[in-house]
Amino acid sequence: DADVTQTPRNRITKTGKRIMLECSQTKGHDRMYWYRQDPGLGLQLIYYSFDVKDINKGEISDGYSVSRQAQAKFSLSLESAIPNQTALYFCATSGPPKDRGTSSYNEQFFGPGTRLTVL
Amino acid sequence: KNQVEQSPQSLIILEGKNCTLQCNYTVSPFSNLRWYKQDTGRGPVSLTIMTFSENTKSNGRYTATLDADTKQSSLHITASQLSDSASYICVVSARTNAGKSTFGDGTTLTVKP
């Protein structure tokens, strides 16, 4: 089974509808992220959470909200979808930073993505 | 503003050939640089991770280099295979409490038979 799963994988909806995208992970990681990817562009951070009850805005949080219901679950909501929110959405997880010499790093593990189309 | 720029935007090579992808960044203070491979319609998968003190890292036919002084990295792919066709993304993280990451737009590599 995949470590990071997203549901649904594809969704078509209409302007003004409320949409929820779900992310679940079995990696035991505390940190979870939601990203958006537009064609030909890099991933942009929407929200991230370092623990249950910890929610932080990313670069492009307007129009989105999130809920960290449990360590393993992080959901993204579009309260009133609009066409320019049509994109690929990725959930990611990471563990605590690992030390390597004088630096640290934390590797992110991505889900398969949700393709959302808002008509 | 932290930025990550990748070049070329796209690249077409023949199977068996080598290629090199470039990544320039302005992220500061630097913590680490990661290269990801993203197949079409799939999530990115980590290839290499390099911190400040590392200047090269290999993963099979993939070799990444890092020059922290010039803030440049490259990803070299040797003996390319059709399965190497994908987008390659450079990601740089800052040494802050949040370890915030900046993603490049990616290089789309197409390997033709």
Side-chain angles (χ1 to χ4, degrees):
Chain A
D1 287 341
D3 294 322
V4 184
T5 57
Q6 292 183 232
T7 56
R9 294 295 314 280
N10 288 283
R11 181 72 183 268
I12 300 174
T13 190
K14 294 182 179 180
T15 297
K17 293 292 187 181
R18 184 178 187 274
I19 296 295
M20 179 180 286
L21 309 183
E22 307 269 9
C23 177
S24 294
Q25 52 112 349
T26 58
K27 299 188 75 67
H29 287 165
D30 287 328
R31 302 182 176 200
M32 298 187 73
Y33 311 78
W34 274 105
Y35 291 93
R36 166 183 172 153
Q37 186 177 39
D38 294 286
L41 298 180
L43 278 74
Q44 294 176 279
L45 182 63
I46 306 173
Y47 273 95
Y48 62 100
S49 167
F50 282 1
D51 202 348
V52 178
K53 298 182 183 179
D54 175 68
I55 301 292
N56 304 281
K57 291 184 177 181
E59 307 163 272
I60 55 165
S61 58
D62 289 346
Y64 301 94
S65 63
V66 291
S67 173
R68 185 79 184 269
Q69 305 95 317
Q71 187 205 38
K73 295 184 183 297
F74 193 33
S75 60
L76 175 71
S77 294
L78 288 68
E79 297 300 326
S80 180
I82 56 177
N84 75 2
Q85 291 178 311
T86 294
L88 261 177
Y89 290 85
F90 289 101
C91 173
T93 75
S94 70
K98 297 180 182 178
D99 290 328
R100 185 183 286 170
T102 58
S103 295
S104 65
Y105 70 93
N106 56 349
E107 184 177 2
Q108 289 181 319
F109 296 85
F110 287 83
T114 294
R115 184 174 295 280
L116 176 65
T117 302
V118 184
L119 302 176
Chain B
K1 180 182 176 183
N2 290 335
Q3 287 187 310
V4 175
E5 295 185 352
Q6 293 187 241
S7 62
Q9 186 175 22
S10 62
L11 182 63
I12 301 174
I13 62 173
L14 293 176
E15 186 178 11
K17 297 295 185 182
N18 303 336
C19 67
T20 300
L21 314 180
Q22 301 289 346
C23 173
N24 297 336
Y25 63 92
T26 60
V27 175
S28 182
F30 175 82
S31 174
N32 63 83
L33 185 147
R34 293 161 277 161
W35 282 95
Y36 286 86
K37 178 186 179 187
Q38 184 179 19
D39 292 313
T40 301
R42 308 283 291 273
V45 175
S46 179
L47 291 175
T48 63
I49 301 173
M50 289 181 292
T51 56
F52 184 84
S53 58
E54 299 169 305
N55 56 22
T56 188
K57 186 76 73 171
S58 291
N59 178 359
R61 294 179 297 102
Y62 301 100
T63 298
T65 64
L66 172 65
D67 186 333
D69 291 331
T70 61
K71 299 186 178 180
Q72 296 179 322
S73 176
S74 64
L75 180 69
H76 187 71
I77 304 174
T78 58
S80 61
Q81 300 176 359
L82 298 179
S83 59
D84 292 332
S85 295
S87 178
Y88 291 84
I89 302 171
C90 176
V91 185
V92 184
S93 292
R95 191 162 24 91
T96 64
N97 287 339
K100 201 169 181 181
S101 297
T102 303
F103 286 72
D105 290 346
T107 292
T108 301
L109 174 66
T110 303
V111 180
K112 294 196 168 184

